[in-house]
Amino acid sequence: MPIVVGIDVMPARRKMSVGELADLAGITPANLAVLDNARAKAVRFATLAALCEVLDCRPDDLLHWEDEAEETANSRTSPADASSSIPPA
């Protein structure tokens, strides 16, 4: 999926529990889990704004674009494979 959801990272940086984030943002912990597990089909701007306000962050701190070609290449290349493709000096 090209959009990667990183909602779990920001609360962890602020030592905030998922339940606390849900309460402060005015959403249920279940809906927060749906967003975090990338099972949501849509995100309301009001929800995104509430999360950003509580976490003191920007939307791009919670949502990231990842090119599908890069995602596929990264899943096929291990760190050992990457180092072996470097030509000797």
Side-chain angles (χ1 to χ4, degrees):
M1 174 185 285
I3 296 179
V4 178
V5 181
I7 291 177
D8 57 337
V9 175
M10 294 305 290
R13 288 183 182 166
R14 286 159 176 69
K15 298 183 182 0
M16 182 183 296
S17 71
V18 173
E20 185 179 1
L21 173 59
D23 286 343
L24 292 172
I27 62 176
T28 66
N31 283 340
L32 190 58
V34 167
L35 289 172
D36 188 37
N37 295 324
R39 294 189 317 245
K41 300 290 181 192
V43 180
R44 291 179 186 224
F45 286 128
T47 301
L48 188 57
L51 290 169
C52 288
E53 186 174 334
V54 168
L55 294 169
D56 189 28
C57 68
R58 298 170 25 144
D60 63 338
D61 294 324
L62 303 177
L63 305 172
H64 308 280
W65 175 264
E66 186 171 296
D67 189 8
E68 287 183 26
E70 288 178 21
E71 183 179 321
T72 304
N74 289 340
S75 67
R76 280 190 262 146
T77 305
S78 70
D81 293 340
S83 64
S84 66
S85 65
I86 300 172

